[in-house]
Amino acid sequence: PSCLLMRPRYQYVLNYYGIDYEELDFDMDSEKYAPYQIGETIPIFILLEDQQEVLRIIGEKSMADLMKMIKDV
């Protein structure tokens, strides 16, 4: 599944930029992600700054694309 493919990419990029993160499971953590209205398409990545959404990435992305998108924020 896409989530398993993307997990190591996200982990690498977030660690590279020193960003703290929390992984949520679509089936187990619905109460935590409900406020973000993520819909049914996964994987989804939401970057928050001061509790405000600053970036949303939906679906599979290459490592290079992730690096650029997160760097640009």
Side-chain angles (χ1 to χ4, degrees):
S2 296
C3 293
L4 296 178
L5 175 73
M6 293 303 298
R7 178 178 288 133
R9 293 180 191 178
Y10 282 126
Q11 289 171 338
Y12 176 85
V13 172
L14 295 171
N15 287 327
Y16 179 86
Y17 288 114
I19 298 172
D20 292 329
Y21 63 94
E22 177 181 9
E23 288 185 44
L24 301 179
D25 183 277
F26 185 78
D27 297 316
M28 305 296 284
D29 297 312
S30 60
E31 71 286 347
K32 287 185 178 181
Y33 66 71
Y36 302 104
Q37 302 171 341
I38 67 165
E40 296 295 320
T41 303
I42 55 175
I44 187 165
F45 170 84
I46 300 173
L47 182 63
L48 303 175
E49 185 175 322
D50 298 324
Q51 302 301 317
Q52 297 293 327
E53 184 175 327
V54 294
L55 177 65
R56 181 178 290 229
I57 301 171
I58 301 171
E60 292 180 24
K61 305 292 183 214
S62 70
M63 182 72 78
D65 287 343
L66 290 177
M67 294 291 282
K68 181 176 179 354
M69 285 186 255
I70 292 174
K71 178 185 176 200
D72 289 346
V73 171

